[in-house]
Amino acid sequence: MFDGYTSSELMSIFAMQGFAGLSLFSVFVLMALGLTIIFGQMGVINMAHGEFMILGAYTTYLTSGFFQSYLPGLFGGYFFVAMILAFLVCAALGALVEWLMIRHLYHRPLDTLLATWGLSLIMQQAYRSIFGAREVGVELPEWMLGAFQVTDLVELPINGLFVMIIALSIAVGLYLLMYRSGYGKKVRAVVQNRPMAEAVGINSAGIDRATFALGCGIAGVAGAAFTMIGSTGPSSGQAYIVDTFLVVVFGGAQSLIGTIVSAFGISQAQSTMEFFLSGSMAKVLTLLFVIGILMLRPEGLMALKVRR
């Protein structure tokens, strides 16, 4: 398979595959972080999480068009505005969905799965009606174009590096929010012992709504970042939802650190195996490996101790 390649060329190929895995890792992390705090705290299986990501992507697409048409002089910084808008739009819709639907389905995981799956179909059809069935893309600012030349054969795209910086920044910010703030203490109290948290005066219903909105908002930021490396269509979110749930369950449903470790391991495994095998076979082998680990450790890699 490697006949005709020099050792330096093989090292360069593997380096590029590793960077491709890091780009996939960035998307997985951004998607899975929002799902972790929703599924981990409330036990809600949000099948519409991918559609919230696509809502953030379409918000970025509209923001890009607005800056191109009305503020061309500020086009270089439109993405930062788009990220904020994507978070706010998705968080607001998430809070509305929690108030209208999710709060009535707590402790009924199968019902939440069916309800959010129906919501995902509604959102997909809404995207088709508004934006059309064809995929759309955004125009990148000039400073995001090009690549860093590491060696003669290895180039690192600037937009891919930028997405990784966003993913790591969101992960650090979420860690500080959950473990270094008063809100985070309340969230962890509700996760570990909901009745006792309510007994000491914590408004668990308000915490649930804020957490669901936060998770959907992070999915919106993931969608904004997704536009930097791919085009957006009404059903693009479905391509990532299964992998995202896999990342969350494998890492430990209530562990942020476990989610990051899981996302890194799964993304690198898939990217490496895709070099030797087909994409579908790489996914199958990754899934079999994860299933084997979960059979030995059902709680995931880094499970949070919960009082019951």
Side-chain angles (χ1 to χ4, degrees), residues 42-45 101-115:
M42 298 180 289
V44 173
I45 304 174
M101 182 175 67
I102 301 298
R103 68 188 178 105
H104 302 292
L105 301 174
Y106 287 136
H107 311 298
R108 295 156 59 186
L110 291 180
D111 291 344
T112 60
L113 186 151
L114 291 173

Side-chain angles (χ1 to χ4, degrees), residues 8-255:
S8 60
E9 289 175 337
L10 286 176
M11 290 296 294
S12 299
I13 291 172
F14 281 114
M16 292 300 293
Q17 286 296 117
F19 182 78
L22 289 177
S23 299
L24 186 61
F25 160 76
S26 303
V27 177
F28 280 175
V29 164
L30 288 172
M31 283 283 287
L33 285 176
L35 199 61
T36 295
I37 59 177
I38 292 174
F39 182 55
Q41 177 187 324
M42 298 180 289
V44 173
I45 304 174
N46 183 16
M47 295 300 293
H49 198 73
E51 279 60 49
F52 280 97
M53 182 190 86
I54 298 307
L55 178 60
Y58 277 125
T59 302
T60 304
Y61 168 71
L62 293 176
T63 305
S64 170
F66 178 83
F67 271 76
Q68 278 184 308
S69 300
Y70 301 103
L71 298 172
L74 301 176
F75 184 75
Y78 87 87
F79 184 72
F80 300 100
V81 177
M83 279 198 302
I84 296 173
L85 290 177
F87 178 86
L88 293 177
V89 169
C90 293
L93 181 59
L96 180 63
V97 168
E98 196 280 339
W99 180 71
L100 288 175
M101 182 175 67
I102 301 298
R103 68 188 178 105
H104 302 292
L105 301 174
Y106 287 136
H107 311 298
R108 295 156 59 186
L110 291 180
D111 291 344
T112 60
L113 186 151
L114 291 173
T116 55
W117 180 63
L119 176 64
S120 73
L121 297 179
I122 293 172
M123 294 177 72
Q124 287 181 44
Q125 189 57 48
Y127 298 152
R128 288 190 183 93
S129 300
I130 298 172
F131 299 101
R134 298 181 62 182
E135 293 188 346
V136 298
V138 301
E139 183 176 339
L140 298 179
E142 289 187 7
W143 60 272
M144 279 192 189
L145 302 176
F148 290 112
Q149 192 78 30
V150 180
T151 67
D152 292 338
L153 298 175
V154 178
E155 293 183 346
L156 301 183
I158 295 176
N159 58 334
L161 291 172
F162 185 68
V163 170
M164 281 190 282
I165 292 173
I166 293 173
L168 294 176
S169 300
I170 294 293
V172 171
L174 189 60
Y175 175 83
L176 294 176
L177 178 66
M178 299 304 264
Y179 292 96
R180 295 291 186 270
S181 70
Y183 167 77
K185 290 180 180 178
K186 293 178 181 179
V187 170
R188 287 184 285 122
V190 171
V191 169
Q192 294 181 12
N193 196 325
R194 182 179 292 266
M196 186 59 70
E198 293 174 344
V200 298
I202 295 177
N203 181 6
S204 63
I207 292 294
D208 286 340
R209 186 163 304 141
T211 302
F212 193 86
L214 176 63
C216 293
I218 294 174
V221 176
F226 179 74
T227 62
M228 300 293 103
I229 57 177
S231 55
T232 303
S235 58
S236 297
Q238 294 298 307
Y240 290 93
I241 189 65
V242 175
D243 288 329
T244 303
F245 270 109
L246 189 65
V247 167
V248 171
V249 174
F250 184 51
Q254 298 164 335
S255 172

